[in-house]
Amino acid sequence: MGGGTAAGRVVDALPNEEEQPVRNLQTGALIAATLSTGLMAGLFAAFAYAVMPGLARSSDHAFVEVMRNINKAILNPVFMLPFLGAIPLLGLAVVLAWRGHGRSALPWLIAALVLYVVAFLVTSAVNVPLNDQLAHAGGLGGDAQWIVVRADFERAWVRWNVVRAVLHAAAFGCLMGALLVHGAHRPVQGGRGEDARTSAPELGTGHARAGQLAGEIRSPRPPFTSSAER
């Protein structure tokens, strides 16, 4: 009885093959979202600690010209795909986790999604309008005009770029946590992963006991003889 019960628990604990494609989809979405978020975090962080400090040493005219060229060059598929694609990928991962496929990673995923959306709003509401303002600002009034154009742009843009870099980095950290939790989770039918680990030794013990009993039956002990008979 004990061996049969343990065997049934092992069978019940085997992974559900029908859920494996869904888990693979969640894993792919999570990895893609992590890579996209990491690329954005690295890009904006590079502006914060290298590009903008370097441009701060340039002349006003050079600063405005370089920033205008960067803002034009960055509008390409290599940037837009991860920048815009991370949000639907994160949303997909959250939905799949919410439905029960790796629910333990759900808090990390929700935190990453919220952080990324806030960073996206910072870019859309602050940095992009400043870029447009810089692109359409006049520059025909000599050095004084360049000074004004730069002053209206640089301080606010740099400050909010640091904010979005921190937000993206935090979202990337949350996604790394989600990957660790997701990788450690092993889906099983009925969620009885712990049963699978504990039932296997029990099953082995039951089989050993059954084998010992069978051996005793095949090789019965010799009948008891009294000293008088000997």
Side-chain angles (χ1 to χ4, degrees):
M1 293 293 291
T5 302
R9 292 167 63 186
V10 170
V11 172
D12 288 342
L14 293 176
N16 188 345
E17 294 182 358
E18 295 180 355
E19 294 183 357
Q20 191 61 38
V22 179
R23 179 172 171 81
N24 292 339
L25 177 61
Q26 184 184 13
T27 301
L30 184 53
I31 292 175
T34 302
L35 291 175
S36 299
T37 304
L39 287 172
M40 294 301 101
L43 172 65
F44 297 135
F47 269 95
Y49 61 68
V51 176
M52 301 312 293
L55 285 177
R57 304 177 182 182
S58 304
S59 65
D60 298 322
H61 181 274
F63 177 90
V64 174
E65 183 178 8
V66 170
M67 283 303 303
R68 283 176 171 174
N69 290 335
I70 290 175
N71 292 335
K72 292 178 181 178
I74 203 170
L75 298 178
N76 61 77
V78 177
F79 167 76
M80 298 301 293
L81 184 61
F83 179 63
L84 298 177
I87 293 179
L89 288 171
L90 277 167
L92 176 61
V94 167
V95 170
L96 292 176
W98 183 270
R99 294 178 60 183
H101 303 283
R103 184 177 287 269
S104 56
L106 186 60
W108 293 101
L109 292 170
I110 293 177
L113 178 59
V114 171
L115 288 167
Y116 195 99
V117 169
V118 173
F120 183 88
L121 292 176
V122 168
T123 298
S124 302
V126 181
N127 293 92
V128 170
L130 285 172
N131 291 340
D132 294 338
Q133 174 184 315
L134 184 69
H136 297 95
L140 303 177
D143 293 339
Q145 182 66 34
W146 293 119
I147 294 174
V148 173
V149 171
R150 178 176 183 173
D152 292 341
F153 173 86
E154 184 176 17
R155 180 174 297 179
W157 197 95
V158 169
R159 180 172 60 249
W160 285 102
N161 178 71
V162 171
V163 171
R164 66 179 177 175
V166 171
L167 290 169
H168 279 290
F172 178 72
C174 290
L175 286 171
M176 292 297 293
L179 277 174
L180 290 175
V181 174
H182 179 76
H185 177 71
R186 293 293 182 269
V188 294
Q189 290 183 353
R192 294 198 294 271
E194 221 29 65
D195 288 346
R197 290 189 291 270
T198 58
S199 60
E202 294 176 3
L203 179 59
T205 303
H207 286 171
R209 291 174 180 172
Q212 182 180 1
L213 180 59
E216 292 176 354
I217 293 174
R218 287 193 300 268
S219 302
R221 294 179 180 178
F224 176 77
T225 58
S226 64
S227 58
E229 292 175 344
R230 291 197 299 269

